[in-house]
Amino acid sequence: MSRESIKNTLSLMLITVIAGVLLGLVYEVTKEPIAREKQRAKEEAYKLVFNDAESFDMADKDYVYELVEEKGFDYDADIEELMAAKDASGNMLGYVATVTDHEGYGGDIQFAMGVRMDGTLNGISFLSIGETAGLGMKATEDKFKDQFKNKLVSRFSYTKNGSTGDDEIDALSGATITTNAVTNGVNAGLYFINTLIEEVNEEVG
Amino acid sequence: MKGYAERLKCGIITENPTFVQMLGMCPTMAVTTSAINGIGMGLTTTVILVLSNMMISALRKVIPDKVRIPAYIVVVASFVTIVQFLLEGFVPSLYDSLGIYIPLIVVNCIILGRAESYASKNNVWLSMFDGIGMGLGFTIGLTSIGIFRELLGNGSIFGAHIMPESYQPISILILAPGAFFVLAFLIAVQNKVRISKAKRAGEAISICEREDGCASCTNTLCGGKAFTVEGVMGTKDKLDKKLTIKDVIDKENMESKNDGNNKDAKNKDDVNKDTDKKDKEV
Amino acid sequence: MNLFLIAVGAALVNNVVLSQFLGLCPFIGVSKKVDTAAGMGGAVIFVITIASAITNLIYTFVLEKLDITYLQTIVFILVIAALVQFVEMFLKKMVPSLYRALGVYLPLITTNCAVLGVALLNVQKSYGFVSAVVNGFGTAVGFTVAIVIMAGIREKIEYNDIPESFKGTPIVLLTAGLMAMAFFGFSGLIK
């Protein structure tokens, strides 16, 4: 090793270390506001899918996971968060779940969905979706999303030939993968929440 | 003052990274499915380009010549990461749409190209304006391709439907093949313009050191060579003299015989000079 | 997840060049002759597979352990650049025959977008070690398939009468577009 190459290596290392430390600083400084921003976006989505609820409390999703795994849970989706939606006087109105489906064309699709205690799906609201603009991205338009609104269905399926019933979703043209991912994600969430509701009702009854 | 204005003009018009230099083609094709994605990617790249240009220009006397490329990469990667945090936190929809192409800005030829050919030789303010000019040029390129693809492929611009109901969108244009087709026609139109220009007035000489701009990018990242050398030479019908992989191979073979403890940067440097020379022969 | 599905998905369905636009520059620059294209493909397979393995290990055992995953871009690009240098030196000393076949292409792919792209995608899809390596290998095979086919077509195109303004890159891009359409056919392979 000549003197020069040692000097080169050292200066490169120095630059890298300084860059790393600076990045760490920026990360620490921005972590807080970013987390707050994300939380705000989430709460907004909860409000959208359950507009008559006053407060949302964290529910025990691990407990429900145990329940559904006993029954078998074969969706390529995860329930990230489960919230209990309550009105102003603290009565249970239903549940809100944050679902991440892994079958999207452009990666994971994350959305919030609200389900009432009688099993009615209030609607869905996307939190994170990176599908192809003009094709899969049309999932975020009301025309598609509203097909999930106010439906008492235990399982949705999608069709390309015009939906005939409440449980059929019109597929987005040219974006079957996105349609499939969203429908499956919704089904996973419904299955998850309905399992919990059944359990709660049994306990009460 | 004149210098600053010239930097802007070079970046936006005479040396436009998308339409003239054909650099940064990966993001150009990948994210221009809609106008808003195009403008988002363009502005993100602009911010990173301006910051890295300024930083590299400020450090140009400190960074040892032999390790400059890795040092530039570190600087650029740091800025990319910072911008990525901010996008994720405050513009999550754009963050989702651009996805993996945000961290991949690190390997965008434009940024390292400008660092190598401009920022490392000029002062901070000029480098800043160079970054702004190039970045805006890139943004304009991406946005106009995005508008074109979104309009024909989806019947809308910036998400607002403007085509009549009866218009049947040509969906293929917003799919992957559409990107290739649009770009192919873009280059063809440009070649056409260049050919007729060359016929009219012989060789046109650009005021902004064009060869330099492209050449430095050639071997740093991505190998922008494919586009620049071929794009230019193809039109002049000198296909036989084109820089082929064989040249690089021969050069490499010679170098490997010389051996020595050449580092990454040195190696690239040599190939770079080689290309420079070749470009000038053209 | 079935490993085979990951490999097929990466190689054909989501072809790295034709649907993700990564590694476009070598795809267009080094696709004039079938044998050079194949050489490039071989080198890419070699590097991407190793890079997937190493970046995965570094991510799991260093970045995640120290809770500094935000450094991933900077670490990955440096690791890849160093790795290519190292692979080159190693091959030159230890396996000269392989070096003669692939070595000349190695410097060209130091920063092929596809290498970094695969490393980042592996993280994004939270693949384990084996899946990451399989995904890297599949992606690189996809690159090789695309570039070799392209080179085969270009060898024929040379003899065709092409409008002057379409000579060079434009005709290659048009061909790539048609190939991308053909590759849509594979999307029925996995669901």
Side-chain angles (χ1 to χ4, degrees):
Chain A
M1 282 277 247
S2 66
R3 263 184 72 117
E4 200 199 344
S5 57
I6 292 174
K7 192 187 139 229
N8 285 345
T9 317
L10 280 181
S11 47
L12 186 57
M13 261 175 65
L14 194 69
I15 291 172
T16 315
V17 169
I18 293 175
V21 170
L22 284 180
L23 266 185
L25 277 177
V26 173
Y27 176 73
E28 286 302 322
V29 172
T30 53
K31 200 166 65 176
E32 193 70 10
I34 286 177
R36 224 180 305 138
E37 183 64 28
K38 278 190 172 165
Q39 189 59 34
R40 198 191 56 75
K42 239 185 226 168
E43 276 162 15
E44 214 167 75
Y46 293 163
K47 202 79 196 152
L48 269 175
V49 294
F50 228 120
N51 52 20
D52 48 344
E54 278 300 316
S55 68
F56 298 96
D57 299 334
M58 189 75 88
D60 186 5
K61 76 167 176 127
D62 294 338
Y63 167 68
V64 192
Y65 253 119
E66 278 170 29
L67 285 180
V68 290
E69 255 148 36
E70 263 172 43
K71 285 166 65 180
F73 184 77
D74 58 345
Y75 293 100
D76 193 10
D78 292 320
I79 313 301
E80 304 282 339
E81 243 178 34
L82 186 66
M83 302 299 244
K86 293 178 177 163
D87 67 8
S89 46
N91 297 322
M92 273 297 285
L93 294 175
Y95 290 97
V96 173
T98 312
V99 182
T100 304
D101 188 281
H102 307 298
E103 298 157 303
Y105 185 73
D108 289 354
I109 298 178
Q110 198 180 55
F111 58 88
M113 56 188 283
V115 180
R116 306 197 151 268
M117 285 312 270
D118 63 356
T120 310
L121 176 60
N122 267 348
I124 61 172
S125 169
F126 288 98
L127 287 165
S128 154
I129 176 166
E131 304 292 289
T132 316
L135 292 170
M137 266 310 195
K138 285 194 171 150
T140 57
E141 288 175 7
D142 288 344
K143 194 179 157 214
F144 180 78
K145 264 193 325 193
D146 286 355
Q147 298 186 86
F148 293 102
K149 230 176 192 166
N150 301 323
K151 293 265 178 87
L152 181 56
V153 169
S154 60
R155 193 185 161 82
F156 289 96
S157 60
Y158 62 90
T159 169
K160 289 178 186 170
N161 314 318
S163 90
T164 48
D166 259 7
D167 60 344
E168 279 194 333
I169 299 296
D170 280 323
L172 293 162
S173 74
T176 330
I177 295 178
T178 311
T179 314
N180 176 54
V182 175
T183 316
N184 268 351
V186 171
N187 286 339
L190 274 178
Y191 181 63
F192 197 83
I193 296 180
N194 283 336
T195 309
L196 174 63
I197 291 176
E198 270 167 35
E199 183 75 14
V200 173
N201 286 346
E202 259 171 44
E203 269 170 30
V204 176
Chain B
M1 210 49 232
K2 193 170 152 270
Y4 299 124
E6 195 195 295
R7 287 330 304 164
L8 292 180
K9 183 171 166 261
C10 270
I12 298 173
I13 302 162
T14 30
E15 242 183 300
N16 187 296
T18 308
F19 296 124
V20 182
Q21 299 193 67
M22 296 286 166
L23 293 179
M25 281 300 134
C26 311
T28 305
M29 296 174 78
V31 306
T32 50
T33 47
S34 71
I36 194 77
N37 283 355
I39 213 168
M41 185 63 174
L43 291 180
T44 310
T45 312
T46 307
V47 170
I48 294 167
L49 183 55
V50 171
L51 291 174
S52 70
N53 255 7
M54 288 171 75
M55 181 60 84
I56 285 165
S57 169
L59 294 177
R60 69 187 188 277
K61 298 207 172 81
V62 188
I63 299 175
D65 198 42
K66 280 189 177 163
V67 291
R68 65 183 196 286
I69 303 284
Y72 297 163
I73 293 179
V74 171
V75 171
V76 177
S78 313
F79 284 123
V80 168
T81 312
I82 292 174
V83 170
Q84 196 181 351
F85 291 158
L86 299 179
L87 282 182
E88 186 181 1
F90 300 106
V91 204
S93 58
L94 185 65
Y95 177 81
D96 290 333
S97 324
L98 298 184
I100 189 177
Y101 296 98
I102 300 175
L104 282 177
I105 295 176
V106 179
V107 286
N108 187 328
C109 316
I110 298 172
I111 296 182
L112 269 137
R114 291 329 287 174
E116 171 79 356
S117 69
Y118 198 86
S120 61
K121 295 170 194 142
N122 291 282
N123 73 38
V124 176
W125 294 111
L126 275 173
S127 302
M128 185 178 103
F129 275 86
D130 182 68
I132 295 175
M134 283 292 158
L136 288 184
F138 188 56
T139 310
I140 290 170
L142 287 194
T143 313
S144 43
I145 297 178
I147 288 176
F148 181 76
R149 287 179 69 188
E150 190 183 343
L151 180 67
L152 294 183
N154 192 31
S156 61
I157 288 183
F158 289 108
H161 278 270
I162 58 156
M163 288 300 230
E165 251 335 276
S166 58
Y167 175 73
Q168 184 69 39
I170 315 167
S171 304
I172 193 82
L173 280 182
I174 45 178
L175 294 169
F180 287 106
F181 295 146
V182 171
L183 200 67
F185 280 99
L186 192 72
I187 302 178
V189 167
Q190 223 190 313
N191 283 349
K192 185 94 194 156
V193 173
R194 243 182 242 161
I195 293 167
S196 54
K197 221 185 212 167
K199 271 182 191 155
R200 258 203 323 262
E203 298 291 290
I205 301 150
S206 164
I207 45 160
C208 321
E209 63 295 73
R210 251 201 53 181
E211 321 170 14
D212 192 19
C214 305
S216 56
C217 201
T218 314
N219 289 288
T220 43
L221 288 190
C222 245
K225 161 182 67 220
F227 289 98
T228 52
V229 176
E230 250 184 40
V232 177
M233 299 192 65
T235 59
K236 291 178 192 154
D237 247 350
K238 286 182 194 162
L239 282 161
D240 47 330
K241 260 180 87 183
K242 187 173 356 170
L243 177 76
T244 60
I245 180 74
K246 281 274 186 282
D247 298 59
V248 185
I249 298 171
D250 293 342
K251 180 77 190 165
E252 291 291 334
N253 280 343
M254 262 159 57
E255 257 170 30
S256 57
K257 274 173 206 147
N258 297 344
D259 210 359
N261 70 341
N262 287 0
K263 277 206 130 183
D264 176 49
K266 173 94 166 77
N267 232 341
K268 279 179 182 155
D269 195 29
D270 286 349
V271 185
N272 241 346
K273 277 181 197 143
D274 186 38
T275 330
D276 264 6
K277 215 167 58 209
K278 287 228 152 56
D279 272 2
K280 268 161 201 149
E281 276 168 24
V282 180
Chain C
M1 257 292 231
N2 192 328
L3 288 179
F4 181 70
L5 279 187
I6 293 183
V8 173
L12 300 176
V13 182
N14 293 316
N15 188 283
V16 65
V17 187
L18 298 174
S19 91
Q20 316 221 43
F21 307 109
L22 301 178
L24 257 185
C25 312
F27 175 71
I28 288 167
V30 197
S31 59
K32 252 170 249 122
K33 294 266 169 352
V34 171
D35 47 350
T36 41
M40 185 70 186
V44 166
I45 292 180
F46 197 75
V47 169
I48 290 193
T49 311
I50 297 178
S52 303
I54 297 204
T55 50
N56 182 277
L57 290 178
I58 288 182
Y59 188 82
T60 332
F61 294 107
V62 180
L63 297 183
E64 272 190 340
K65 281 270 145 54
L66 299 178
D67 202 19
I68 46 168
T69 49
Y70 57 85
L71 287 181
Q72 70 174 32
T73 312
I74 198 168
V75 170
F76 282 4
I77 185 89
L78 287 178
V79 165
I80 290 167
L83 176 78
V84 175
Q85 289 297 306
F86 183 74
V87 166
E88 197 184 353
M89 281 183 334
F90 177 83
L91 285 185
K92 207 193 291 184
K93 286 237 166 65
M94 306 310 236
V95 204
S97 58
L98 194 58
Y99 177 77
R100 269 195 297 280
L102 303 183
V104 291
Y105 302 100
L106 288 173
L108 292 174
I109 38 175
T110 313
T111 35
N112 181 335
C113 323
V115 188
L116 182 61
V118 174
L120 292 167
L121 277 176
N122 283 337
V123 171
Q124 199 187 60
K125 294 189 178 162
S126 44
Y127 279 151
F129 180 72
V130 180
S131 312
V133 175
V134 170
N135 184 41
F137 179 74
T139 306
V141 169
F143 175 84
T144 310
V145 168
I147 197 173
V148 170
I149 295 179
M150 176 55 101
I153 299 175
R154 281 183 80 173
E155 282 187 1
K156 301 278 180 222
I157 286 184
E158 283 216 8
Y159 304 105
N160 293 358
D161 186 19
I162 299 162
E164 195 170 10
S165 35
F166 273 93
K167 274 182 186 154
T169 316
I171 191 71
V172 176
L173 287 172
L174 279 184
T175 315
L178 294 173
M179 280 171 67
M181 284 170 82
F183 269 63
F184 275 159
F186 290 118
S187 62
L189 274 181
I190 58 170
K191 227 185 80 132

